[in-house]
PDB file of all heavy atoms in Angstrom:
ATOM      1  N   LEU A  58     -24.870  -8.405  18.253  1.00 98.00           N
ATOM      2  CA  LEU A  58     -25.731  -8.918  17.180  1.00 98.00           C
ATOM      3  C   LEU A  58     -26.154 -10.357  17.469  1.00 98.00           C
ATOM      4  O   LEU A  58     -27.323 -10.716  17.298  1.00 98.00           O
ATOM      5  CB  LEU A  58     -25.019  -8.822  15.831  1.00 98.00           C
ATOM      6  CG  LEU A  58     -24.862  -7.421  15.260  1.00 98.00           C
ATOM      7  CD1 LEU A  58     -23.878  -7.405  14.105  1.00 98.00           C
ATOM      8  CD2 LEU A  58     -26.220  -6.861  14.837  1.00 98.00           C
ATOM      9  N   HIS A  63     -29.265 -12.367  15.880  1.00 98.00           N
ATOM     10  CA  HIS A  63     -28.799 -12.254  14.493  1.00 98.00           C
ATOM     11  C   HIS A  63     -27.557 -13.089  14.208  1.00 98.00           C
ATOM     12  O   HIS A  63     -26.853 -12.851  13.237  1.00 98.00           O
ATOM     13  CB  HIS A  63     -28.521 -10.781  14.155  1.00 98.00           C
ATOM     14  CG  HIS A  63     -29.745  -9.930  14.206  1.00 98.00           C
ATOM     15  ND1 HIS A  63     -30.651  -9.860  13.181  1.00 98.00           N
ATOM     16  CD2 HIS A  63     -30.229  -9.135  15.194  1.00 98.00           C
ATOM     17  CE1 HIS A  63     -31.638  -9.049  13.520  1.00 98.00           C
ATOM     18  NE2 HIS A  63     -31.402  -8.597  14.735  1.00 98.00           N
ATOM     19  N   ASP A  66     -26.825 -14.650  10.615  1.00 98.00           N
ATOM     20  CA  ASP A  66     -26.639 -13.787   9.441  1.00 98.00           C
ATOM     21  C   ASP A  66     -25.155 -13.427   9.329  1.00 98.00           C
ATOM     22  O   ASP A  66     -24.703 -12.417   9.863  1.00 98.00           O
ATOM     23  CB  ASP A  66     -27.504 -12.539   9.583  1.00 98.00           C
ATOM     24  CG  ASP A  66     -27.512 -11.665   8.340  1.00 98.00           C
ATOM     25  OD1 ASP A  66     -26.604 -11.812   7.483  1.00 98.00           O
ATOM     26  OD2 ASP A  66     -28.423 -10.817   8.233  1.00 98.00           O
ATOM     27  N   GLN A  67     -24.402 -14.266   8.625  1.00 97.00           N
ATOM     28  CA  GLN A  67     -22.953 -14.084   8.524  1.00 97.00           C
ATOM     29  C   GLN A  67     -22.571 -12.762   7.862  1.00 97.00           C
ATOM     30  O   GLN A  67     -21.575 -12.142   8.242  1.00 97.00           O
ATOM     31  CB  GLN A  67     -22.327 -15.260   7.762  1.00 97.00           C
ATOM     32  CG  GLN A  67     -22.422 -16.578   8.509  1.00 97.00           C
ATOM     33  CD  GLN A  67     -21.745 -16.535   9.865  1.00 97.00           C
ATOM     34  OE1 GLN A  67     -20.574 -16.197   9.978  1.00 97.00           O
ATOM     35  NE2 GLN A  67     -22.478 -16.871  10.918  1.00 97.00           N
ATOM     36  N   GLU A  68     -23.348 -12.318   6.898  1.00 98.00           N
ATOM     37  CA  GLU A  68     -23.046 -11.036   6.244  1.00 98.00           C
ATOM     38  C   GLU A  68     -23.195  -9.873   7.224  1.00 98.00           C
ATOM     39  O   GLU A  68     -22.367  -8.956   7.237  1.00 98.00           O
ATOM     40  CB  GLU A  68     -23.949 -10.839   5.022  1.00 98.00           C
ATOM     41  CG  GLU A  68     -23.653 -11.825   3.908  1.00 98.00           C
ATOM     42  CD  GLU A  68     -24.649 -11.741   2.776  1.00 98.00           C
ATOM     43  OE1 GLU A  68     -25.861 -11.536   3.036  1.00 98.00           O
ATOM     44  OE2 GLU A  68     -24.226 -11.880   1.618  1.00 98.00           O
ATOM     45  N   LEU A  69     -24.216  -9.932   8.048  1.00 98.00           N
ATOM     46  CA  LEU A  69     -24.419  -8.900   9.066  1.00 98.00           C
ATOM     47  C   LEU A  69     -23.305  -8.949  10.106  1.00 98.00           C
ATOM     48  O   LEU A  69     -22.777  -7.909  10.512  1.00 98.00           O
ATOM     49  CB  LEU A  69     -25.788  -9.067   9.729  1.00 98.00           C
ATOM     50  CG  LEU A  69     -26.101  -8.150  10.909  1.00 98.00           C
ATOM     51  CD1 LEU A  69     -26.013  -6.678  10.512  1.00 98.00           C
ATOM     52  CD2 LEU A  69     -27.476  -8.487  11.475  1.00 98.00           C
ATOM     53  N   LEU A  70     -22.920 -10.144  10.523  1.00 98.00           N
ATOM     54  CA  LEU A  70     -21.838 -10.267  11.501  1.00 98.00           C
ATOM     55  C   LEU A  70     -20.531  -9.707  10.949  1.00 98.00           C
ATOM     56  O   LEU A  70     -19.799  -9.019  11.668  1.00 98.00           O
ATOM     57  CB  LEU A  70     -21.665 -11.725  11.929  1.00 98.00           C
ATOM     58  CG  LEU A  70     -22.842 -12.348  12.673  1.00 98.00           C
ATOM     59  CD1 LEU A  70     -22.553 -13.815  12.985  1.00 98.00           C
ATOM     60  CD2 LEU A  70     -23.198 -11.577  13.937  1.00 98.00           C
ATOM     61  N   LEU A  71     -20.244  -9.970   9.680  1.00 98.00           N
ATOM     62  CA  LEU A  71     -19.049  -9.390   9.056  1.00 98.00           C
ATOM     63  C   LEU A  71     -19.137  -7.868   9.025  1.00 98.00           C
ATOM     64  O   LEU A  71     -18.150  -7.178   9.267  1.00 98.00           O
ATOM     65  CB  LEU A  71     -18.859  -9.931   7.639  1.00 98.00           C
ATOM     66  CG  LEU A  71     -18.175 -11.277   7.520  1.00 98.00           C
ATOM     67  CD1 LEU A  71     -18.262 -11.794   6.087  1.00 98.00           C
ATOM     68  CD2 LEU A  71     -16.732 -11.186   7.962  1.00 98.00           C
ATOM     69  N   ALA A  72     -20.323  -7.351   8.727  1.00 98.00           N
ATOM     70  CA  ALA A  72     -20.503  -5.895   8.731  1.00 98.00           C
ATOM     71  C   ALA A  72     -20.230  -5.337  10.124  1.00 98.00           C
ATOM     72  O   ALA A  72     -19.558  -4.309  10.273  1.00 98.00           O
ATOM     73  CB  ALA A  72     -21.918  -5.533   8.267  1.00 98.00           C
ATOM     74  N   GLY A  73     -20.715  -6.017  11.141  1.00 98.00           N
ATOM     75  CA  GLY A  73     -20.468  -5.574  12.514  1.00 98.00           C
ATOM     76  C   GLY A  73     -18.997  -5.592  12.869  1.00 98.00           C
ATOM     77  O   GLY A  73     -18.494  -4.683  13.523  1.00 98.00           O
ATOM     78  N   LEU A  74     -18.301  -6.611  12.418  1.00 98.00           N
ATOM     79  CA  LEU A  74     -16.884  -6.743  12.738  1.00 98.00           C
ATOM     80  C   LEU A  74     -16.040  -5.683  12.043  1.00 98.00           C
ATOM     81  O   LEU A  74     -15.116  -5.133  12.628  1.00 98.00           O
ATOM     82  CB  LEU A  74     -16.395  -8.141  12.336  1.00 98.00           C
ATOM     83  CG  LEU A  74     -14.951  -8.464  12.684  1.00 98.00           C
ATOM     84  CD1 LEU A  74     -14.778  -8.578  14.195  1.00 98.00           C
ATOM     85  CD2 LEU A  74     -14.519  -9.742  11.984  1.00 98.00           C
ATOM     86  N   ARG A 138     -23.878  -7.069  -0.041  1.00 98.00           N
ATOM     87  CA  ARG A 138     -24.825  -6.796   1.047  1.00 98.00           C
ATOM     88  C   ARG A 138     -24.078  -6.369   2.309  1.00 98.00           C
ATOM     89  O   ARG A 138     -24.483  -5.415   2.981  1.00 98.00           O
ATOM     90  CB  ARG A 138     -25.674  -8.025   1.346  1.00 98.00           C
ATOM     91  CG  ARG A 138     -26.635  -7.811   2.511  1.00 98.00           C
ATOM     92  CD  ARG A 138     -27.586  -8.989   2.707  1.00 98.00           C
ATOM     93  NE  ARG A 138     -28.404  -8.774   3.875  1.00 98.00           N
ATOM     94  CZ  ARG A 138     -28.206  -9.379   5.054  1.00 98.00           C
ATOM     95  NH1 ARG A 138     -27.232 -10.265   5.199  1.00 98.00           N
ATOM     96  NH2 ARG A 138     -28.999  -9.119   6.075  1.00 98.00           N
ATOM     97  N   THR A 139     -22.985  -7.064   2.624  1.00 98.00           N
ATOM     98  CA  THR A 139     -22.189  -6.673   3.793  1.00 98.00           C
ATOM     99  C   THR A 139     -21.684  -5.249   3.622  1.00 98.00           C
ATOM    100  O   THR A 139     -21.774  -4.431   4.539  1.00 98.00           O
ATOM    101  CB  THR A 139     -21.010  -7.651   4.001  1.00 98.00           C
ATOM    102  OG1 THR A 139     -21.542  -8.942   4.306  1.00 98.00           O
ATOM    103  CG2 THR A 139     -20.098  -7.197   5.124  1.00 98.00           C
ATOM    104  N   LEU A 142     -24.486  -2.785   4.171  1.00 98.00           N
ATOM    105  CA  LEU A 142     -24.787  -2.608   5.597  1.00 98.00           C
ATOM    106  C   LEU A 142     -23.777  -1.676   6.246  1.00 98.00           C
ATOM    107  O   LEU A 142     -24.136  -0.811   7.055  1.00 98.00           O
ATOM    108  CB  LEU A 142     -24.807  -3.965   6.306  1.00 98.00           C
ATOM    109  CG  LEU A 142     -25.997  -4.864   5.978  1.00 98.00           C
ATOM    110  CD1 LEU A 142     -25.746  -6.291   6.457  1.00 98.00           C
ATOM    111  CD2 LEU A 142     -27.278  -4.303   6.580  1.00 98.00           C
ATOM    112  N   VAL A 153     -34.247  -4.170   8.905  1.00 97.00           N
ATOM    113  CA  VAL A 153     -34.042  -5.207   9.916  1.00 97.00           C
ATOM    114  C   VAL A 153     -32.553  -5.344  10.238  1.00 97.00           C
ATOM    115  O   VAL A 153     -32.107  -4.999  11.331  1.00 97.00           O
ATOM    116  CB  VAL A 153     -34.647  -6.553   9.460  1.00 97.00           C
ATOM    117  CG1 VAL A 153     -34.356  -7.643  10.484  1.00 97.00           C
ATOM    118  CG2 VAL A 153     -36.149  -6.422   9.242  1.00 97.00           C
ATOM    119  N   ALA A 154     -31.774  -5.820   9.283  1.00 97.00           N
ATOM    120  CA  ALA A 154     -30.348  -6.053   9.532  1.00 97.00           C
ATOM    121  C   ALA A 154     -29.602  -4.737   9.752  1.00 97.00           C
ATOM    122  O   ALA A 154     -28.763  -4.632  10.652  1.00 97.00           O
ATOM    123  CB  ALA A 154     -29.724  -6.835   8.377  1.00 97.00           C
ATOM    124  N   GLY A 155     -29.896  -3.735   8.952  1.00 97.00           N
ATOM    125  CA  GLY A 155     -29.222  -2.444   9.094  1.00 97.00           C
ATOM    126  C   GLY A 155     -29.520  -1.791  10.426  1.00 97.00           C
ATOM    127  O   GLY A 155     -28.630  -1.232  11.080  1.00 97.00           O
ATOM    128  N   ALA A 157     -30.409  -3.418  13.126  1.00 97.00           N
ATOM    129  CA  ALA A 157     -29.733  -4.243  14.137  1.00 97.00           C
ATOM    130  C   ALA A 157     -28.264  -3.829  14.258  1.00 97.00           C
ATOM    131  O   ALA A 157     -27.733  -3.730  15.371  1.00 97.00           O
ATOM    132  CB  ALA A 157     -29.847  -5.724  13.778  1.00 97.00           C
ATOM    133  N   LEU A 158     -27.609  -3.572  13.129  1.00 98.00           N
ATOM    134  CA  LEU A 158     -26.217  -3.120  13.149  1.00 98.00           C
ATOM    135  C   LEU A 158     -26.103  -1.763  13.840  1.00 98.00           C
ATOM    136  O   LEU A 158     -25.241  -1.566  14.696  1.00 98.00           O
ATOM    137  CB  LEU A 158     -25.649  -3.050  11.734  1.00 98.00           C
ATOM    138  CG  LEU A 158     -24.236  -2.483  11.604  1.00 98.00           C
ATOM    139  CD1 LEU A 158     -23.229  -3.309  12.398  1.00 98.00           C
ATOM    140  CD2 LEU A 158     -23.839  -2.409  10.126  1.00 98.00           C
TER     141      LEU A 158
END
Side-chain angles (χ1 to χ4, degrees):
L58 288 167
H63 296 279
D66 187 342
Q67 293 301 305
E68 293 173 322
L69 174 58
L70 296 178
L71 277 171
L74 184 69
R138 178 174 176 257
T139 296
L142 289 166
V153 177
L158 175 60

